[in-house]
Amino acid sequence: MEDRLAMSDSALSKQLATFEEAGYVATARRPSGSRRKVRARLAPTGRDAFNGHVAALREIVADAANPADGPATRS
């Protein structure tokens, strides 16, 4: 996972803890050999926040593709 996200295990752990404290994700830790594996899933609050961000980004893109006042002009 560290390679896919370009984050160290400790940085990823800190981010997951922050999202968990905010109620955005739920985690489950289980032993796997000498290490623990962490499984994370979006909580309902996290899903709502994610969907809100996606909707806002779509609106930004739509506004940029179809400006209401036409192309900007320079003075």
Side-chain angles (χ1 to χ4, degrees), residues 18-44:
T18 300
F19 286 133
E20 192 169 25
E21 287 173 16
Y24 287 172
V25 299
T27 60
R29 291 164 175 77
R30 60 186 165 99
S32 176
S34 62
R35 298 183 60 149
R36 290 184 305 162
K37 285 197 174 185
V38 177
R39 181 173 217 132
R41 64 174 178 78
L42 277 176

Side-chain angles (χ1 to χ4, degrees), residues 7-74:
M7 294 177 75
S8 68
D9 286 346
S10 62
L12 179 57
S13 178
K14 185 174 182 178
Q15 291 297 314
L16 280 174
T18 300
F19 286 133
E20 192 169 25
E21 287 173 16
Y24 287 172
V25 299
T27 60
R29 291 164 175 77
R30 60 186 165 99
S32 176
S34 62
R35 298 183 60 149
R36 290 184 305 162
K37 285 197 174 185
V38 177
R39 181 173 217 132
R41 64 174 178 78
L42 277 176
T45 301
R47 175 65 60 193
D48 290 344
F50 176 77
N51 288 337
H53 288 297
V54 169
L57 289 170
R58 285 184 175 150
E59 188 174 325
I60 290 167
V61 169
D63 289 348
N66 302 309
D69 297 330
T73 58
R74 294 184 182 214

